């Protein structure tokens, strides 16, 4: 295009050159001929300009396009789309939301204390039971307690599921089976509600969103029961391992123990939260990589306050000083709290619904198709499909 335009200018320049030469030689060229030639050249240049404009049209949707991106600078004025976030926030604040957390570990690792520290209230089963007596159960009994926690107008129904008796016996064979069964039963309840013809406006969600697994601070490697439990449960629920009572280890011992645990997790193919395959974008990957580097979190729990430099802090008092629970130089409780509540709470719920529950639902539907039975609330209630089929024998 540029060469054609330049060519047009060259022709025009040639006419002027001929005209000048004719005047110098005293020749008389007819003005109409010169004007006609100049007019033709100008028309050619206008055609070239129009072609260039056509090659760079304004952005618009072609017939084959189904959607386009219209950004703020392309709008004629304020539309108000951003107000949707305020609408969602108001609805969520009115309805509240649910979060179900399971704590698993042998007795004496401070599970109840840590849960109370996380939510800064007495929410554990032990704290809520009057005249509670610690007894070692012969079998694993799952018990749950629920609370409504409200902060700045936001309501959350918190359910804490405890597993007394886990790992407390001489023979702990298959001690994880009641926990696997409980997790699958909650999926089954939700599936039954979904299959109802007249579904509830909001299906009660009792599914386990996160399982915090407490590791004793031995300083060695993972025990066989730790490996077996996390390997089985990691396939059906989000597992988050923590080192309990980490103040019994020196900083060097803690670092070495964490490295050994990460090696054990990788060697045994144990999937702990957050999994790499669930990272949605580069930003998520960067954030989750930092978390994965620190797992398992070395934590200390307490519900007692002490004065440190004129400020009240949560901490454990020893003869060497005060261990500040929320001080990252002392322990990694703050990292665990941020992950569970401040940064990944909704993601834990999304992974539970979109990954773990969806895997269970597909499995159940495939089982019903293989047996030639249409899965419905009636068949689930009457036990047409054996419940043992629904349980995960991993």
């Amino acid at each position: 295009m540029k060469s054609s335009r330049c060519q047009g200018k060259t022709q025009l320049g040639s006419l002027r050159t001929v005209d000048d030469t004719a005047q110098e030689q005293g020749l008389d060229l007819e003005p109409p001929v010169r004007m006609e030639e100049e007019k033709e050249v100008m028309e050619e240049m206008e055609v070239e300009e129009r072609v260039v404009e056509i090659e760079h049209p304004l952005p618009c949707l072609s017939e084959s396009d189904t959607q386009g991106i219209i950004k703020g600078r392309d709008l004629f004025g304020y539309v108000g789309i951003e107000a949707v976030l305020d609408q969602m926030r108001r609805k969520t604040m009115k309805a509240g939301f649910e979060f179900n957390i399971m704590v698993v570990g042998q007795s004496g690792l401070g599970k109840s204390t840590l849960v109370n520290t996380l939510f800064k209230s007495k929410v554990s089963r032990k704290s809520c039971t009057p005249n509670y007596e610690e007894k070692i159960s012969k079998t694993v009994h799952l018990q749950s307690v629920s609370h409504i926690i409200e902060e700045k107008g936001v309501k959350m129904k918190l359910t804490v599921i405890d597993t007394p008796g886990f790992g407390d016996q001489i023979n702990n064979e298959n001690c994880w089976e009641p926990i696997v069964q409980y997790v699958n039963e909650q999926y089954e309840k939700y599936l039954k509600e979904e299959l109802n013809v007249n579904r509830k406006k909001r299906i009660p969600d009792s599914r386990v969103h996160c399982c915090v697994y407490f590791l004793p601070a031995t300083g060695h490697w993972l025990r066989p029961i730790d490996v077996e439990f996390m390997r089985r449960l990691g396939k059906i629920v989000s597992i988050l391992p923590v080192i309990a009572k980490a103040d019994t280890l020196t900083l060097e011992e803690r670092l070495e123990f964490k490295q050994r645990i990460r090696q054990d997790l990788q060697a045994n193919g144990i999937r702990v939260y957050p999994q790499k395959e669930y990272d949605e974008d580069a930003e998520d990957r960067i954030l989750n990589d930092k978390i994965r580097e620190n797992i398992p979190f070395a934590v200390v729990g307490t519900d007692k306050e002490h004065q440190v430099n004129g400020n009240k802090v949560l901490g454990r008092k020893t003869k060497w000083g005060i261990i500040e629970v929320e001080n990252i130089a002392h322990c990694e409780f703050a990292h665990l709290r941020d992950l569970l509540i401040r940064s990944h709470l909704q993601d834990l719920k999304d992974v539970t619904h979109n990954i773990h529950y969806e895997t269970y639902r597909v499995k159940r539907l495939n089982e019903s198709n293989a047996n030639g039975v249409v899965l419905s609330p009636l068949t689930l209630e009457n036990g047409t499909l054996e419940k043992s089929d629904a349980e995960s024998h991993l």
Side-chain angles (χ1 to χ4, degrees):
M1 295 300 173
K2 291 182 179 178
S3 60
S4 301
R5 191 183 301 175
C6 294
Q7 194 173 17
K9 290 180 180 178
T10 305
Q11 292 176 5
L12 184 59
S14 301
L15 284 175
R16 289 180 184 143
T17 306
V18 171
D19 181 63
D20 295 338
T21 306
Q23 286 180 358
E24 289 173 4
Q25 295 178 358
L27 299 177
D28 185 21
L29 294 178
E30 295 181 6
V33 175
R34 225 173 33 245
M35 290 178 63
E36 283 293 328
E37 290 180 354
E38 289 182 5
K39 186 177 180 182
E40 288 177 2
V41 173
M42 292 300 294
E43 285 177 354
E44 287 180 6
M45 293 176 65
E46 288 176 1
V47 169
E48 297 293 342
E49 289 287 342
R50 285 197 297 271
V51 171
V52 171
E53 289 178 0
I54 292 172
E55 285 189 347
H56 301 280
L58 292 173
C60 61
L61 295 178
S62 64
E63 293 181 0
S64 61
D65 290 333
T66 57
Q67 66 176 11
I69 299 176
I70 303 175
K71 296 186 178 181
R73 62 177 179 271
D74 299 323
L75 299 174
F76 301 142
Y78 178 71
V79 177
I81 298 173
E82 63 179 1
V84 173
L85 296 176
D86 293 330
Q87 298 170 35
M88 294 170 65
R89 186 173 183 272
R90 283 196 300 270
K91 292 194 73 172
T92 303
M93 289 182 68
K94 284 181 182 179
F97 60 97
E98 299 154 319
F99 185 60
N100 309 317
I101 182 171
M102 176 184 281
V103 290
V104 181
Q106 68 187 53
S107 301
L109 291 181
K111 300 187 296 294
S112 299
T113 304
L114 185 70
V115 171
N116 292 343
T117 311
L118 275 172
F119 297 98
K120 295 192 175 180
S121 55
K122 297 190 180 297
V123 295
S124 67
R125 178 182 56 89
K126 185 188 293 187
S127 304
C128 301
T129 306
N131 302 321
Y132 178 83
E133 292 183 9
E134 187 74 49
K135 294 181 180 179
I136 296 179
S137 175
K138 292 183 179 180
T139 57
V140 179
H141 292 290
L142 280 82
Q143 300 175 356
S144 64
V145 59
S146 297
H147 303 270
I148 302 295
I149 300 177
E150 184 173 352
E151 184 181 41
K152 294 184 178 180
V154 180
K155 294 179 181 179
M156 178 181 74
K157 181 184 178 182
L158 173 69
T159 301
V160 180
I161 303 107
D162 197 2
T163 56
F166 178 85
D168 293 333
Q169 308 304 318
I170 296 175
N171 182 7
N172 290 304
E173 186 178 2
N174 299 328
C175 62
W176 49 79
E177 285 187 353
I179 301 173
V180 172
Q181 181 180 349
Y182 178 88
V183 171
N184 283 324
E185 282 176 354
Q186 308 318 307
Y187 291 150
E188 191 80 0
K189 285 181 183 178
Y190 199 90
L191 178 60
K192 180 181 174 182
E193 291 290 343
E194 275 195 334
L195 293 173
N196 282 329
V197 176
N198 298 318
R199 293 194 296 181
K200 296 177 181 178
K201 185 177 180 181
R202 186 174 180 181
I203 299 176
D205 189 2
S206 61
R207 298 169 297 181
V208 179
H209 300 130
C210 181
C211 174
V212 180
Y213 186 70
F214 287 70
L215 299 166
T218 61
H220 304 301
W221 300 86
L222 290 177
R223 302 169 301 168
I225 187 176
D226 302 328
V227 173
E228 198 64 26
F229 176 85
M230 288 192 285
R231 187 173 63 82
R232 292 171 181 267
L233 266 291
K235 298 177 181 178
I236 61 174
V237 72
S238 296
I239 291 276
L240 195 59
V242 298
I243 301 172
K245 296 188 174 181
D247 53 325
T248 59
L249 299 172
T250 65
L251 293 179
E252 292 78 12
E253 290 172 340
R254 189 174 82 183
L255 183 61
E256 290 179 5
F257 189 35
K258 291 179 66 165
Q259 289 174 345
R260 288 172 184 166
I261 291 173
R262 283 195 290 268
Q263 291 172 11
D264 267 353
L265 293 175
Q266 187 174 3
N268 291 280
I270 296 172
R271 296 153 51 89
V272 298
Y273 182 86
Q275 292 93 328
K276 286 186 177 181
E277 58 266 32
Y278 301 155
D279 295 342
E280 295 183 354
D281 50 37
E283 185 179 353
D284 276 357
R285 193 175 301 111
I286 293 171
L287 175 61
N288 291 338
D289 280 343
K290 292 179 181 178
I291 295 171
R292 286 186 278 264
E293 289 172 2
N294 287 318
I295 284 178
F297 296 123
V299 297
V300 177
T302 185
D303 51 6
K304 295 181 180 179
E305 290 185 335
H306 298 277
Q307 288 281 347
V308 176
N309 298 327
N311 299 319
K312 284 187 177 182
V313 297
L314 284 171
R316 292 186 66 244
K317 190 173 183 179
T318 67
K319 49 185 170 181
W320 299 283
I322 294 175
I323 301 165
E324 299 176 36
V325 169
E326 296 178 302
N327 187 340
I328 58 175
H330 293 186
C331 74
E332 296 172 329
F333 169 82
H335 295 324
L336 175 65
R337 178 203 57 204
D338 291 348
L339 172 65
L340 285 176
I341 303 171
R342 302 185 181 182
S343 64
H344 283 68
L345 188 149
Q346 186 58 47
D347 187 65
L348 282 164
K349 297 184 66 174
D350 291 342
V351 169
T352 299
H353 182 76
N354 299 325
I355 306 297
H356 299 304
Y357 169 71
E358 189 64 18
T359 302
Y360 179 87
R361 188 185 70 85
V362 170
K363 177 177 177 290
R364 291 290 278 134
L365 292 174
N366 288 336
E367 288 173 355
S368 67
N369 292 336
N371 294 330
V373 180
V374 177
L375 197 62
S376 67
L378 187 61
T379 58
L380 293 176
E381 184 121 11
N382 294 336
T384 305
L385 294 174
E386 293 296 330
K387 187 172 284 189
S388 59
D389 293 337
E391 293 172 5
S392 178
H393 298 288
L394 303 176

